Amino acid sequence: LFPYTTLFRSEDAKMRKKQQLAEAEVEHEKLVAEEEKEEAANKEKMDALREEKAEEDKKDAARKHHD
C-alpha cells in the first residue's frame, strides 16, 4: 500500500506544481501586456509633446526673425 500512496501523492504534487506554473505564466503574460500597453501610451505622449515643442520653437524662431 505504501508505494501506491506515495505515487499518488507524488502525482498530485506534480499536478499542483504544473497548475501553479501555468497560472504564473498567465499572470506574467498579463503583466507584460499591461507594461507594453503603458509603454506605447507613454511613447505617444512623448511624441505629441516633442511635436508640440517643435511647433513652439518654429513660432519662436519666426517671431525672432520678424523682430
Side-chain angles (χ1 to χ4, degrees), residues 8-25:
F8 291 127
R9 285 185 192 153
S10 176
E11 288 301 314
D12 287 347
K14 286 179 187 176
M15 290 298 288
R16 279 194 304 275
K17 196 67 164 174
K18 283 182 181 181
Q19 181 65 31
Q20 289 172 342
L21 183 58
E23 290 171 2
E25 288 175 359

